[in-house]
Amino acid sequence: MPIDAVNGVTTNAMTRAFAGATDAATGASGTGATGIGATAATSGDGFAASLAGAVDGLQQLQSDSKTLALKAVTGNLDDIHDATIAATRAQVTLELVAAVRNKGVDAFNEIMRMQA
């Protein structure tokens, strides 16, 4: 499998996780600008659902990675590349989720420093 497939993992996995969570939170079937809805913009539920979906997606990637690593160790895995790619996907996605979390904390701290 080419290395380029690993580079696209962050975009594909996180886009699907955020899009699915946004659709579930708003009840929309599409992911256009009108699919976000006014309720998500006013209550913040859409953002919370997006983060929850991203974390759920990350947990699934980590679970798949652990399963493939166990198969590799026991000798039940046909292609070691599958385990390597799954581990890399989980690692890159974890780094992205951590970066989003850090930016959120930074934004919250910046808001708290504002004068009324």
Side-chain angles (χ1 to χ4, degrees), residues 13-75:
M14 295 307 290
T15 300
R16 276 183 268 144
F18 283 126
T22 302
D23 289 346
T26 61
S29 60
T31 55
T34 59
I36 294 174
T39 58
T42 58
S43 67
D45 290 338
F47 182 70
S50 295
L51 287 179
V55 171
D56 289 342
L58 172 62
Q59 288 175 340
Q60 182 62 41
L61 286 173
Q62 288 177 334
S63 175
D64 293 344
S65 175
K66 287 180 183 179
T67 302
L68 289 173
L70 183 63
K71 285 183 179 180
V73 169
T74 59

